[in-house]
Amino acid sequence: MFQHLEAAPPDAILGLADTFRRDPNPQKINLTVGVYCDASGKTPVLASVKEAERRLLETESVKTYLAIDGIAEYGLQVRELLFGPEHEALASGRAVTVQTPGGTGGLRVVGDFIHRLFPQARVWCSTPTWPNHPAVFRAAGMEVAWYPYYDPATGGVDVGRMLDALRTAAAGDVVCLHPCCHNPTGADPAAGDWDGIADVIFDRGLMPLLDFAYQGFGDGLREDARAVEAFCRPGAEVLIVSSFSKNFGLYRERVGALTAVAADRRTAETVLSQLKNTVRTNYSNPPSHGGAVVSTILSDADLRRQWERELAAMRDRINGMRALFADTMQRHAPGRDFGFIRRGRGMFSLSGLSPEQVDALRERHSLYIVRDGRVNVAGMTADSMERLCGTIASVLCPHSL
Ligand code: PMP
């Protein structure tokens, strides 16, 4: 059977990591994978995570399976992070959570759940979006539709065109949204735009799916949850996928969650039973360690404070790098406006480089960028900024040099 198989194409993002590892150039720079790096270019294990792991090592007494929906306390804490401690959706019991292997696992559970129970539903993704969005949804059997999102002329979001497209969606379709730190553009709707976006989505009878992979990386834990607030109106149905890969630095531990908000508690319990059914036939029940680490941190006042300080430090460094990258690019390519990089949020921006220019940077300068031009601002360091921007400018606008 294997003899006639053709090789699958390498992953657009993770595939480049292999090429980078093999590159012998000591000055190589990797801006591909979405991983936070500190000022020395390392991805540290957070001190709050280390302490939580130390405690878990001492206290963990069983290795039996978790429940299908994971650690119950973790589910509560995820919902509190999403909604804040006072939200009506917490007290009413109309929000339920399953712990998932990363945000990706949560997205796949959504895809399987929707495709099995609402087979007509399509899922709408932004142009552009994280390439694994359409890939995961299609793997689950869903049809993908697209709504215009990024406006390259302004480096911002074209909310008008986005809503025009969503008004053509069929009732029951799912709309995948990035609540903050849009991947790959770094361009988010203004805080005040979310209510209008939610109006259109609910007026059309669409299901919002908030893929929340960067809570706390933009402006703050609560500030970044503005979209969650706009969608979780009384009685409204919402799906939210959380990832703790970035904000807890737990990437390889695969820790995330899927929260479903229903109109009332009874409906939420029915939804949970179906989600558990979906999980059981996929990975059966989630890995424990990452969820236990997050739960240990969030249930201890000191550890939580420490984590919030560490998260703020990551956020501040990213926003500092954005400003430095925009300023340095401006000096190297004065004919262009890089204000959109400063205005963006999260780890990514679109550099405006074409696939051919990206190839030239990799082959000639060992500078690794995703072929759609996405750069990981969180992978930049002040030390190499001059060289980085000079190199990018040399291919972005060769005539201005
Ligand atoms: N959604 C988006 C938009 C992402 O950028 C990522 C991480 N690259 C994820 C989901 C999934 O993250 P993970 O599976 O590592 O938790």
Side-chain angles (χ1 to χ4, degrees):
M1 286 165 74
F2 299 157
Q3 211 85 63
H4 304 291
L5 270 185
E6 279 179 30
D11 183 85
I13 299 169
L14 297 181
L16 280 169
D18 296 334
T19 321
F20 179 80
R21 259 192 299 276
R22 287 195 300 268
D23 188 333
N25 184 342
Q27 295 214 305
K28 61 188 178 179
I29 296 178
N30 187 2
L31 303 181
T32 58
V33 183
V35 167
Y36 171 85
C37 300
D38 65 15
S40 65
K42 299 253 163 23
T43 303
V45 180
L46 299 188
S48 50
V49 166
K50 273 281 181 217
E51 174 57 22
E53 289 184 316
R54 197 186 58 73
R55 292 184 194 179
L56 284 170
L57 191 61
E58 280 169 12
T59 57
E60 192 179 57
S61 57
V62 286
K63 290 285 188 190
T64 50
Y65 296 119
L66 290 184
I68 295 174
D69 50 346
I71 303 167
E73 195 188 9
Y74 170 86
L76 264 170
Q77 291 159 332
V78 168
R79 293 193 290 278
E80 243 184 68
L81 268 185
L82 291 173
F83 304 126
E86 309 294 341
H87 199 280
E88 143 287 317
L90 295 182
S92 66
R94 68 186 187 93
V96 291
T97 304
V98 297
Q99 180 183 337
T100 57
T104 308
L107 291 167
R108 181 59 191 257
V109 173
V110 169
D112 287 343
F113 165 79
I114 296 281
H115 182 63
R116 180 166 62 84
L117 296 163
F118 308 95
Q120 300 304 319
R122 292 190 294 174
V123 57
W124 291 70
C125 294
S126 60
T127 50
T129 193
W130 181 47
N132 218 22
H133 274 153
V136 166
F137 297 136
R138 285 186 185 125
M142 293 188 78
E143 187 186 328
V144 176
W146 299 94
Y147 61 86
Y149 181 84
Y150 185 64
D151 180 359
T154 63
V157 183
D158 191 338
V159 177
R161 284 185 65 219
M162 167 181 175
L163 294 183
D164 285 346
L166 292 180
R167 285 191 188 95
T168 70
D173 280 357
V174 176
V175 184
C176 180
L177 300 149
H178 307 218
C180 72
C181 306
H182 184 270
N183 180 2
T185 68
D188 297 324
D193 287 334
W194 283 112
D195 290 315
I197 295 170
D199 285 345
V200 170
I201 285 178
F202 289 135
D203 285 352
R204 295 288 315 168
L206 310 175
M207 171 64 75
L209 164 58
L210 308 181
D211 180 20
F212 210 179
Y214 300 95
Q215 186 176 6
F217 262 37
D219 292 306
L221 281 171
R222 295 271 30 95
E223 292 84 344
D224 292 350
R226 182 66 196 86
V228 176
E229 234 167 77
F231 281 98
C232 292
R233 303 171 173 179
E237 296 181 345
V238 192
L239 292 167
I240 310 168
V241 171
S242 307
S243 164
F244 300 122
S245 300
K246 317 292 152 92
N247 51 11
F248 281 84
L250 281 168
Y251 310 86
R252 66 172 60 175
E253 300 300 349
R254 310 309 300 132
V255 54
L258 165 59
T259 297
V261 186
D264 53 60
R265 175 191 288 266
R266 218 170 52 82
T267 316
E269 281 166 7
T270 307
V271 174
L272 180 62
S273 72
Q274 290 289 358
L275 290 176
K276 285 162 74 171
N277 186 293
T278 305
V279 166
R280 181 67 173 136
T281 53
N282 183 350
Y283 52 87
S284 188
N285 51 76
S288 169
H289 184 70
V293 168
V294 168
S295 187
T296 302
I297 292 173
L298 294 180
S299 57
D300 181 285
D302 288 339
L303 277 184
R304 180 171 176 136
R305 263 194 302 278
Q306 185 180 18
W307 167 64
E308 289 199 27
R309 274 198 305 275
E310 294 187 287
L311 177 60
M314 291 193 279
R315 174 171 66 242
D316 291 347
R317 197 188 98 73
I318 293 170
N319 287 332
M321 277 304 110
R322 281 192 168 278
L324 184 62
F325 181 48
D327 288 351
T328 315
M329 280 308 301
Q330 203 69 68
R331 265 195 293 107
H332 283 276
R336 288 176 173 242
D337 178 12
F338 293 96
F340 72 95
I341 290 173
R342 183 191 288 275
R343 288 192 296 277
R345 281 293 174 272
M347 307 213 291
F348 306 114
S349 270
L350 283 184
S351 58
L353 291 159
S354 68
E356 295 72 30
Q357 290 169 326
V358 166
D359 292 344
L361 285 171
R362 187 181 60 253
E363 285 157 16
R364 287 192 229 136
H365 304 281
S366 295
L367 172 53
Y368 288 71
I369 291 173
V370 185
R371 280 193 103 226
D372 64 2
R374 184 188 87 166
V375 290
N376 175 13
V377 184
M380 299 177 183
T381 58
D383 297 346
S384 58
M385 194 62 87
E386 275 299 325
R387 187 164 56 87
L388 173 70
C389 293
T391 310
I392 293 177
S394 72
V395 303
L396 191 59
C397 34
H399 309 301
S400 71
L401 292 175

